[in-house]
Amino acid sequence: MRLQQRKTNSKSRRFLVNRMPDLTQLTISEALTGLRSRDFSSQELTAAYIQRIEELDPKIHAFITLTPELAFEKAGIADQMLAAEDRELPPLLGLPIAVKDVLCLANVRCTCGSKILENFIPPYTASSVSRLLDAGVVPLGKTNTDEFAMGSSTENSAYGPTRNPWNFEHVPGGSSGGSAAAVAGGMAPAALGTDTGGSVRQPCAFCGTTGIKPTYGRVSRYGLIAYGSSLDTAGVIARNAADTALLFQHMAGFDPLDATSVNTPVPTYQLPDSPDLHGLRIGVPDEYFLQGIQPEVESFVKAAVTQLESQGAVPVPISLPYTEYALPVYYIIAPAEASANLARYDGVRFGPRLGTEEGLQEMFKQTRGQLFGSEVKRRIMLGTYALSAGYYEAFYGKAQKVRTLIKEDFIRAFEDVDVIAAPVAPTTAFKFGQHSDDPLAMYLEDIFTLPANLAGIPGLAFPVGYDKNGLPIGMQLMAPPFKEDLLFRVGHAYQLATEWHNKKPSLPTMDNQLK
Amino acid sequence: MKTGYTADIGLEVHAELQTKSKMFCACPIVDLTQAEPNTAVCPVCAGMPGSLPVVNQQAVMAGLRVALSLECEVMGTSQFARKNYFYPDLPKGYQISQYEYPLAITGHLPVRTDEGWINVRIRRVHLEEDTAKLTHIQAPNGESHSLVDLNRAGIPLLEIVSEPDMHTINQVRAYTRSLRTLLQYLGVNSGDLEKGVIRFEANVSLRPVGCPDLGTRVEIKNLNSFRIMTGAIAYELERQSILLDAGGVVQQETLGWDEANQVTLSQRSKEEAHDYRYFPEPDLPPLVITPGMMSEARENLPERPDRRFRRYVTDFGLDAYQADLLTDEKAVADFFELTLTSMAQPDPTLGANWILGELFGWMNLSGQSIEEIPVSPRSLAGLLDHLQGNVINAATAKIVFNEMLQTGKEASEIIRDEHLQQVTDQDDLEKLVKRVLTDHPEQVSAFQNGKTGLYHWFFGRVMQESGGRADPIVIRKILDENLKV
Ligand SMILES: [Zn+2]
């Protein structure tokens, strides 16, 4: 392995980083192997990522907050432990990752992409993050997001949008656009995201990364700043299915602090060595191909199904008749829950406070009126309306009933198939501003991702091609509850047989400029 | 109030559950009148972003015990909801409370009033969390401030909603007293009203006597003591009857109590009623009551105070006054019954007299509670055994009991060490009586000349000579024989 050469020189970190092959290009398993065999240190790996972030992020803006001091502190501890050669080393020791800025990390500000939490420094760490910290990861920083995870492009972030590493004119998707762009741009080997209506999968599709939206209840929501509580999930974005599984393994599991987390054992994810998928039944739902989707999306997703078929899987045409109702149902339930979840932002206990000179009511009004963005206010109003006396039954009550029907669609489908394959989004990454004046058009971007959230089932998104403009096309596989292992197996088998996930955007880094 | 109306009064009782921790977090429950404000607070009860509630099982069990004691139908599955309203006492902007699916429904509580027993039906019993405590203060410069104490935020509350089955203030008093006693029996609430551990809301309406339909009702909120609650209801009954007499119409509205002016004040009318936008709390799965939880709650359920009262009257032959005093506090009733079962020959009247007389007297004087006194029911039974067995007489027993209460010694020990056994030997007492009579010839002749009141004087002399140990019955017998009355 080429990396072996670097052991000989240890004069300075900067020197080493420059001499070494780019550490930021390693997969997670390669990085962990390198760390264990002490080909390079966690501090060197961390430095490589920080250097790349310093070079690229001014252009991409994947991060809201960087935590280099914390990263080097953790990396230093990791290096000491690695040097001590303990047998029982934490499984991800020394691995840098990025964290979406809606997941709390103690003593690091958590903005949720909102001005209303601009100075909020939580004293606690989200359970999902703390499990990974226990497993040894090194946090590089907090990634950009649409405000309170409400959006599909990061254009709703109060801190400015993130650019798609494949084309800076295009959005990275959202709301976990910062995380997906960080991974696609090689600024982190993996990043945590959250998915309430597609916020992990859709940015993965737009940025050509692989990401898991877990079963609702599989990963603790404690410390995930709530948007739509019955839909929110925390997931992983990485460069391939194997890396995603590796991180997810240590993030999933029951948490007594989250009453909705489920006490079901997390299996050890075993990934196949061969691309063989004999016996696997893949459901292909009509409803995900009928609407006017971008022709290349349809053709590449169908080609991916054909690819899986060539590996032994059996495609089965299925129907999920309630799919078309997912959008209206989601846009009642999520805003309804958000309207309550966001009531606590009053400027009293945390966050900035405006209008203090003009009395309590005025303080509330100015703080909320000026520090929430327009999409957040729109959803608070939608949700408040849907829950109001006289409208509750017609909106929220009915939406819950239809949600049950959508869930039953999937239960029926999974009687006949093992996984369901579908496009992640109807289009590839759109241009900035394309949907800014039309919230409904923006909402339509989530049309294929919403059903999995409403049903609570897991979904894995990964790249299956590129459109004529070189923008990635994503496919998602959905599985029955708690069958993440199956998704990782199929995704990995596909990636053993294909190269889409290895394609990298050409970016203006120093290396590239030298070429 | 004029006599032409029947009042219908229903109560919502909010009782704090004295569990170890709060309803949805691990914060301890502290005495709000003692603890430094905002010291029992964590991210969950402060409503910090990303925090999540987890149901306190101890609170569920406490609620279950109350529901079963009220003979409610317990719901196999109940559900928490978010009650949305924006107010500084509510850190999350919503209160987690059971709404559509409460813990239990349709129970009842028999209540003894001065006019006999009434049955108050219970509509529902549900769990919720308390709000923060607001204190409004006026600064020296004239500015007013509201201080928020989150120590109270998240304390478990059990809301017990009655049907409008009370018709007089006395019935309201009797019901709340019975309910408070029941909660204390169950060990779920201290009943310490000064500390605000029980708070009330009342609904009040009037209808013409004989009219089957209830009148328009008003709700009176935030009644934080017995006195305020009864005052507000009495005021409201008076107000409504005057209004109706004058041909007016009662408005359906929510009222508050103005303590300074002793009047109810309109808070909001039906039209401007709060829309709480209730919806199921997505952070908490439905609350499932398993058969195991039901049997665990049933297992240690104490006998309800009203049942105990009836048993003391019917089975023990106690009068209502005694039965009431004994059953008012569970610890006293338990002490009483343990005393009885420890006696060789259980005598409820004797036991009741000693507890309500000597023991209560001591508790008043010493300020000790029944849990604190050094005499156990078994020890009191030992004393009463000696009394019943004529080992000591009643006067000596009181002296012995007093010493027991001071030293914690057993009755037998005191009697033995201080030679207090009653003298019952006929010959010994006969000698004693004869000596007293011989020593006082003038009194003997005065007695024989008709001054029969001197009989008690002779009795007292003999008792004195015996050191108080003589058996009074034997003395009387010998005195009678020797004085030949
Ligand atoms: Zn707390």
Side-chain angles (χ1 to χ4, degrees), chain B residues 154-166:
Chain B
I155 290 181
L157 286 181
L158 194 68
E159 183 170 326
I160 302 159
V161 183
S162 85
E163 298 289 348
D165 286 351
M166 289 157 276

Side-chain angles (χ1 to χ4, degrees), chain B residues 18 33 49 71 95 170 220 232 261 275 282 302 341 364 440 442 480:
Chain B
Q18 270 142 12
T33 61
E71 293 175 43
Q95 180 190 26
N170 276 339
I220 321 172
N261 297 304
D275 180 356
T341 52
N364 275 337
H440 302 92
E442 287 157 37
D480 289 353

Side-chain angles (χ1 to χ4, degrees), chain A residues 133-356:
Chain A
L133 290 175
D134 290 347
V137 302
V138 169
L140 294 167
K142 306 294 292 290
T143 56
N144 199 13
T145 168
D146 287 292
E147 186 174 5
F148 284 99
M150 297 178 188
S152 310
S153 67
T154 72
E155 289 170 292
N156 296 334
S157 168
Y159 301 90
T162 298
R163 296 186 181 279
N164 191 319
W166 293 91
N167 186 329
F168 288 176
E169 305 290 300
H170 290 250
V171 303
S175 63
S176 311
S179 286
V183 172
M187 295 184 281
L192 305 188
T194 62
D195 191 318
T196 305
S199 283
V200 160
R201 288 161 291 157
Q202 186 253 20
C204 277
F206 281 17
C207 291
T209 53
T210 300
I212 181 81
K213 176 258 169 225
T215 309
Y216 186 80
R218 180 47 114 183
V219 177
S220 172
R221 287 185 299 118
Y222 193 89
L224 184 172
I225 296 182
Y227 155 31
S229 308
S230 73
L231 303 154
D232 291 341
T233 55
V236 178
I237 296 171
R239 292 173 195 160
N240 57 53
D243 282 2
T244 306
L246 207 50
L247 242 73
F248 189 73
Q249 179 81 66
H250 301 289
M251 183 182 177
F254 174 68
D255 178 11
L257 295 179
D258 175 3
T260 61
S261 86
V262 178
N263 201 351
T264 301
V266 180
T268 303
Y269 300 125
Q270 305 280 3
L271 298 181
D273 298 327
S274 95
D276 183 62
L277 288 171
H278 271 95
L280 183 82
R281 298 164 301 169
I282 302 178
V284 183
D286 289 348
E287 290 80 2
Y288 284 67
F289 294 92
L290 290 179
Q291 284 129 1
I293 66 173
Q294 194 177 318
E296 291 159 296
V297 170
E298 177 164 355
S299 57
F300 275 99
V301 170
K302 290 207 162 145
V305 173
T306 309
Q307 168 63 36
L308 292 168
E309 190 178 4
S310 76
Q311 292 170 232
V314 182
V316 181
I318 60 165
S319 174
L320 298 166
Y322 285 96
T323 301
E324 63 172 307
Y325 299 105
L327 189 77
V329 166
Y330 175 86
Y331 279 99
I332 289 168
I333 291 174
E337 291 174 357
S339 72
N341 285 330
L342 271 59
R344 70 190 65 196
Y345 303 104
D346 55 10
V348 175
R349 283 147 298 133
F350 37 78
R353 188 184 295 173
L354 304 180
T356 49

Side-chain angles (χ1 to χ4, degrees), chain B residues 22 25-27 40-46:
Chain B
K22 289 186 179 179
C25 63
C27 286
V41 181
C42 73
V44 177
C45 57

Side-chain angles (χ1 to χ4, degrees), chain A residues 1 15 92 100 143 210 425 450 457 468:
Chain A
M1 191 172 173
F15 179 64
L92 302 174
K100 186 182 183 181
T143 56
T210 300
L450 300 173
I457 60 171
K468 60 180 185 297

Side-chain angles (χ1 to χ4, degrees), chain A residues 104 117 120 123-124 216 220-226 229-230 256-260 336-337 339-341 343-346 349-350 360 364 368 383-384 387-389 392 396, chain B residues 42-55 82 84-88 90-94 100 146 148 150 274-285:
Chain A
C104 292
L117 286 177
F120 172 58
Y124 42 84
Y216 186 80
S220 172
R221 287 185 299 118
Y222 193 89
L224 184 172
I225 296 182
S229 308
S230 73
L257 295 179
D258 175 3
T260 61
E337 291 174 357
S339 72
N341 285 330
R344 70 190 65 196
Y345 303 104
D346 55 10
R349 283 147 298 133
F350 37 78
L360 187 67
F364 288 154
R368 289 172 68 80
T384 304
L387 291 172
S388 297
Y392 179 91
Y396 190 81
Chain B
C42 73
V44 177
C45 57
M48 299 286 275
S51 66
L52 294 172
V54 176
V55 172
R82 291 185 183 179
N84 295 286
Y85 67 95
F86 198 76
Y87 202 66
L90 211 50
K92 298 188 292 295
Y94 55 84
E100 205 179 344
S146 294
V148 183
L150 292 171
H274 262 298
D275 180 356
Y276 290 121
R277 303 190 311 278
Y278 281 100
F279 71 100
E281 167 57 279
D283 287 335
L284 295 171

Side-chain angles (χ1 to χ4, degrees), chain B residues 34 41 44 61 73 83 98 107 109 122 133 186 201 216 241 261 273 279 295 313 352 411 444 458:
Chain B
Q34 303 295 320
V41 181
V44 177
M61 292 307 293
E73 182 189 338
K83 178 183 184 179
Q98 295 190 311
L109 182 65
I122 304 297
K133 191 172 193 295
L186 293 165
E201 289 177 21
T216 305
S241 72
N261 297 304
F279 71 100
S295 54
V313 172
V444 172
F458 290 120

